[in-house]
Amino acid sequence: MSRIEMDTTNNKQDAALLLGQNEENSLSKTIKIIQLNKREESKSCSKMIMNFATNQYVAGFIGSISVMIGATCIAWVAPMLHILQGPDSPVPMSSEQTSWMVSFIEIGPFFTPTISGILSDRIGRKPCIYFSVFLYLASWILILSVYTVPALYAARTLQGMALGITFTIVPMYLGEIAENHIRGALTTLFQTLFHVGLLFEYCIGPYFAYETVLYVNGALSVVFFALFYFQVESPYYYLIKNNEYKALLALTTLRGNQPAVKIEQELREMKTVIDKEMSGPSKVSFSDVFKTKADRKALFLVVVITVTKAYCGLLAILSYATEAFRVNDEGSVLGPNEYTILIGLEMVIVVAISAKFVDSLGRRPLILASSFGCFVCNILVCVYFYMNQYSSYDLTKYHWMIFSSFSLFAFFFSFGLGPVALTLQSELFPTNTRGIASSFCALSFTVASFLCLKLYQVFTDQYGLYLNYLIFSIFCLIGFILTFIFLPETKGKSFTEIRLQMNGGESTDVESPTTKS
């Protein structure tokens, strides 16, 4: 047992012995041996990186780089719209074509969330994440190879397909590699890296050539391939596949030099949860997501929060912020691109800070404060654009209201609806339906996002900018009310305790060391 690389045919037999009820000392000894072997392996450069930096934070950070890549796919059009519609455009486009190009990214996720949710339980979380980044890379290659509007449509569709996988699998992966008491903080890496990707694109887009931006974005995918190769698969996936030895290896790697007894206890708790949740039919269908009261309530809550997140106006602001800042910008201290960069920077800072409060303040108060704050900000923007369109009053000197309202919106979104929605997605569903439920949520987000992006330009042309923000505020208010009524608090609870709570029971007062916050 001193070798980490064991013959696959012996893995299940060894694991079965190790996990027997009367073999606890053997399991603890095995964990210690694995930890010693990890230290020996760290003599090589790549293994050294894995050993000294290997824990759930670094694994989560590197996995979330795929989210950053996805964010660049969303945001690269914001600083480029002015160029693409200009006289020297590398791909001449009309206003109608650009609106389709922006919204085409939401067509791809119609197809991939369901498939990736099913495949994640069959081939693993890592291969699915790898495939999403391959699609990102393929999209950049297509844009660089063919300078036509249909090619842009096709590339945006590929990027959307990749985003569907990313938004389905990465939250699941982050939730499964994290200990209970830091799960909230770890899953906020998703939103943090998402906003880092947005900021990255806002910073390079206005100041570099069109082709340079595309090459840099493609290079990010190559970097991810190299880094993610060394990360472990989710131990939950190995337990689903009854490969308990590999689950032990993955968990020991993620937990580093934690006491063997603690790792042993956590592994047994995982196995108990998996055995209970997978005790039903071997094939899981969509109907299983609606099977129990807890399942239906979890799906309802996450879909409500997901749709609120999609239709609170974030994607429209991210895609059209630069154009919105051009309204009445005469005499403004900064240009539209600089204002957009400041919004992106603010979102990165707030999301990074919010990681601490997700596990200290809890999910419920953050979601409530976030949704209500976004409601107020959208109302302010709506009033400004309404008065600008229908009032004879000169609002040029009040141009700061747009930036101030967007800044407040970014603040409220970034500590609540952004990171906490994904945390809840990883917490509320059982292991056997988590993949399918996540795909259903991703599909809901896709539908709402597509309508938001496509109708934004339509409403702007037909009625004015104000109508978009009025609709955004209504969705935020509805989300606030439903969340206030139905959402329980889940911070610091194990998956088992959350399921008990969702079924209407009370959480146990006595928590194991691995479940306390």
Side-chain angles (χ1 to χ4, degrees), residues 454-466:
K454 185 65 187 87
L455 294 178
Y456 184 93
Q457 193 62 49
V458 174
F459 288 155
T460 299
D461 294 339
Q462 295 293 325
Y463 305 102
L465 277 168
Y466 77 92

Side-chain angles (χ1 to χ4, degrees), residues 129-147:
I129 296 174
Y130 259 133
F131 184 66
S132 70
V133 179
F134 171 78
L135 291 177
Y136 290 134
L137 181 59
S139 71
W140 297 122
I141 293 174
L142 177 59
I143 297 174
L144 282 164
S145 303
V146 185
Y147 285 74

Side-chain angles (χ1 to χ4, degrees), residues 124-188:
R125 283 55 163 154
K126 274 189 70 176
C128 290
I129 296 174
Y130 259 133
F131 184 66
S132 70
V133 179
F134 171 78
L135 291 177
Y136 290 134
L137 181 59
S139 71
W140 297 122
I141 293 174
L142 177 59
I143 297 174
L144 282 164
S145 303
V146 185
Y147 285 74
T148 65
V149 172
L152 279 175
Y153 290 167
R156 294 285 286 175
T157 302
L158 282 177
Q159 291 172 349
M161 292 173 68
L163 281 169
I165 300 173
T166 300
F167 275 76
T168 301
I169 306 302
V170 175
M172 185 193 314
Y173 178 77
L174 296 178
E176 291 177 349
I177 66 173
E179 293 177 271
N180 294 329
H181 69 284
I182 62 166
R183 192 187 308 120
L186 192 65
T187 51
T188 57

